[in-house]
Amino acid sequence: MYDPEVLRSLHVSRYKSEPEIFAAPGRVNLIGEHTDYAEGFVMPAAIDFATLAGISPRDDGKIVIYSENFKEERVFDARSLPKSGSKDWSDYPLGAMVMLAGEGHRIPGLSLSLLGDVPLGSGLSSSAAVEVATALAVTSLVGVDYARPKLARLCQRAENEFVGANCGIMDQFISANGAEDHALLLDCRDLSFRLAPIPANVALVIANTMVKHSVAGGEYTTRRAEVEEAAAVIARHRPEVRFLRDATVEDLHKWGAEMSPNALKRARHVITENTRTVAAADALIDHDLKELGRLMAEAHVSYSQDFEASCVEADTMVMLAHSQPGLIGARLTGGGFGGCTINLVEQGKANEFRDGLAASYASETGIVPQIHVCHASSGAHRVIASLSH
């Protein structure tokens, strides 16, 4: 959905230098919400919304970053990078460079142009796409090649330590490691993963409720603290349980009364969601789309009622999806409190589904949604090599 030639032309016009261009996709999570920081399982897919990064060297010792989306340029001294972010869009690309510098790489003067079509604030991980595209571009420029899981971890650290958002590893990992026509079941404990094929006759329809959210907000922090409270209670009885990944529903029956009511509910979501996520990968591998749809429906109810991270608009969007043609499964995706729903839909009915859902949602809520028919795409990659090479 992006045109690298547009970025190439823009970069050449601005910096009089041919760029190398890299792309990193956004993502949609098919199932597995708020399980990542419990060292559990998630199953995202990279999508055909992406950030493009064009890069070329400079000889004046400056790092110059231009965002076409924001129509703004930022300039930094390559020899004296900031230690922390400044709450600006440039924190995301700059943070990736700071983490690479921390690994012992000298970041040279460079021009970096960014252009993306991942919708901001919709839960499709525009920030991770910027970080991964930047990291891939800069490592190419300095002549190093990181294994993709390692690259993803560096980009996660950029968001945690430089930007100041306490995200898990999923967004950066799928952006770096996604595969065309596949979802990816990721074990957030050891970063092992397996690919689960998405059949050619299944479309990913992403429906934006147009209700914005931010994972840096207080709700995310509160939920995470409640999850950790529940794990700590269980650990008093079972010291081997460091994260809810290691806990069971039986543990909640035994010791749930020692938790706050909210912590008990959050834990029930995380523990059952882990089980559902692994089962959903098995269902995809077995081509059992009916079971996958059932698991997605169950996941949404858990996310809405036990984790209480949905909202009226998202619940409405999911409810209305079930009355549209071709639906396989629907649920709220991403960090919660708004954002997008993911709908798996029969490919031949995807456009009819999109139009019907848009009309129903607008009628029900008075909000005109953005709905995109997507497919699972490859992870970050080089798009155009510099013509000077």
Side-chain angles (χ1 to χ4, degrees):
M1 289 189 183
Y2 50 81
D3 182 358
E5 183 56 34
V6 172
L7 183 66
R8 191 201 71 81
S9 175
L10 184 155
H11 189 95
V12 170
S13 171
R14 196 171 190 92
Y15 299 117
K16 308 298 184 276
S17 179
E18 280 286 345
E20 295 202 25
I21 298 183
F22 299 81
R27 64 96 186 98
V28 65
N29 193 25
L30 302 187
I31 192 166
E33 300 301 351
H34 290 270
T35 48
D36 53 353
Y37 51 79
E39 293 203 345
F41 296 91
V42 293
M43 194 171 73
I47 56 173
D48 43 344
F49 286 109
T51 292
L52 294 175
I55 194 166
S56 59
R58 299 176 68 95
D59 57 13
D60 60 1
K62 292 179 180 176
I63 289 173
V64 183
I65 308 173
Y66 174 73
S67 167
E68 174 65 9
N69 296 81
F70 289 98
K71 300 285 194 292
E72 290 177 349
E73 185 178 86
R74 299 285 184 265
V75 181
F76 304 92
D77 182 347
R79 291 151 299 194
S80 180
L81 294 173
K83 297 288 188 289
S84 61
S86 59
K87 308 299 182 192
D88 185 63
W89 62 262
S90 60
D91 290 352
Y92 297 97
L94 192 63
M97 295 184 212
V98 169
M99 292 304 129
L100 288 167
E103 293 291 301
H105 304 296
R106 188 184 69 80
I107 308 300
L110 59 88
S111 301
L112 183 75
S113 300
L114 298 169
L115 170 65
D117 60 4
V118 186
L120 300 178
S122 59
L124 301 180
S125 203
S126 54
S127 59
V130 170
E131 291 153 0
V132 172
T134 299
L136 202 57
V138 174
T139 53
S140 173
L141 188 67
V142 301
V144 295
D145 186 16
Y146 276 96
R148 291 306 179 84
K150 169 75 169 174
L151 192 77
R153 187 66 90 184
L154 282 171
C155 291
Q156 180 202 14
R157 286 182 51 212
E159 192 141 350
N160 292 168
E161 299 170 23
F162 191 84
V163 177
N166 201 13
C167 67
I169 186 65
M170 173 177 68
D171 296 355
Q172 292 81 8
F173 196 92
I174 184 62
S175 188
N177 295 278
E180 184 95 14
D181 299 324
H182 286 76
L184 185 152
L185 178 72
L186 173 65
D187 184 335
C188 296
R189 170 159 290 168
D190 61 10
L191 301 191
S192 62
F193 66 92
R194 59 182 171 130
L195 296 173
I198 297 174
N201 64 338
V202 175
L204 308 180
V205 181
I206 300 169
N208 192 341
T209 64
M210 312 307 287
V211 179
K212 295 282 192 286
H213 77 286
S214 167
V215 296
E219 295 279 17
Y220 179 94
T221 305
T222 301
R223 294 300 186 282
R224 187 160 180 169
E226 290 162 347
V227 166
E228 289 164 359
E229 177 199 331
V233 168
I234 295 170
R236 290 204 294 265
H237 303 278
R238 292 180 58 208
E240 71 274 18
V241 174
R242 291 171 50 244
F243 297 90
L244 287 182
R245 154 72 175 271
D246 304 306
T248 65
V249 173
E250 181 63 26
D251 293 331
L252 299 183
H253 293 324
K254 289 180 178 177
W255 303 301
E258 298 174 27
M259 304 170 191
S260 69
N262 279 348
L264 174 60
K265 288 198 290 185
R266 310 308 181 235
R268 186 165 57 222
H269 166 75
V270 170
I271 292 169
T272 59
E273 186 82 342
N274 266 324
T275 302
R276 278 190 293 271
T277 302
V278 175
D282 290 338
L284 260 183
I285 290 167
D286 294 339
H287 302 291
D288 189 346
L289 296 181
K290 184 176 180 182
E291 174 65 2
L292 179 61
R294 185 192 70 77
L295 290 163
M296 290 177 70
E298 196 177 279
H300 181 78
V301 171
S302 176
Y303 204 21
S304 179
Q305 296 182 6
D306 273 346
F307 212 75
E308 296 181 290
S310 188
C311 59
V312 171
E313 294 86 355
D315 287 344
T316 299
M317 187 75 89
V318 169
M319 176 193 72
L320 293 171
H322 284 274
S323 62
Q324 304 304 320
L327 180 73
I328 296 163
R331 52 175 289 278
L332 176 62
T333 186
F337 314 106
C340 293
T341 66
I342 173 62
N343 306 269
L344 298 190
V345 180
E346 295 169 22
Q347 182 72 57
K349 296 180 178 173
N351 290 341
E352 186 184 352
F353 176 94
R354 176 195 61 204
D355 296 345
L357 183 58
S360 298
Y361 182 76
S363 174
E364 190 79 22
T365 65
I367 301 169
V368 177
Q370 291 175 351
I371 303 183
H372 310 283
V373 179
C374 299
H375 71 270
S377 300
S378 59
H381 59 281
R382 183 193 303 263
V383 180
I384 298 177
S386 168
L387 299 182
S388 63
H389 281 198

